[in-house]
Amino acid sequence: MQIQSKKSFAMIDYDRCNPRACDPEKGICPAVSACEHKVLKQIDGPFEPPMVFMDLCMGCWDCLEACPLEAVYRRHIT
Ligand code: SF4
Ligand code: SF4
């Protein structure tokens, strides 16, 4: 049986990401809130950029649309 690897997943541009700009009061990342698959997590807490658990990413790109600073991008593996 051949196991297929993921071809694309979300990544964070940490130079652009700024949770304080997205949510000045609570520091919650809108892209994290948008990801129903719990692939993005602010594991260091509010006001910290999210981590991507890329193996779980479904490539639905809801997070891209939710990020106002365009800090989420598609990463493709060939
Ligand atoms: S929405 Fe985008 S810029 Fe804002 S905290 Fe999340 S990843 Fe960073
Ligand atoms: S592409 Fe979809 S599954 Fe992957 S991190 Fe973004 S919202 Fe979550």
Side-chain angles (χ1 to χ4, degrees), residues 9-10 31 34-40 52 56-64 72:
F9 48 86
C35 180
E36 294 180 359
H37 304 283
K38 311 290 184 200
V39 175
L40 301 177
V52 183
L56 302 174
C57 181
M58 305 297 286
C60 66
W61 314 123
D62 289 344
C63 54
L64 267 81
V72 187

Side-chain angles (χ1 to χ4, degrees), residues 4-16:
Q4 290 198 330
S5 60
K6 278 256 178 278
K7 289 281 192 264
S8 54
F9 48 86
M11 285 292 288
I12 306 295
D13 182 342
Y14 290 107
D15 289 333
R16 282 179 178 250

Side-chain angles (χ1 to χ4, degrees), residues 12 16-19 22 29-31 50 66-69 71-72:
I12 306 295
R16 282 179 178 250
C17 179
N18 185 353
C22 294
C29 166
C67 176
L69 301 184
V72 187

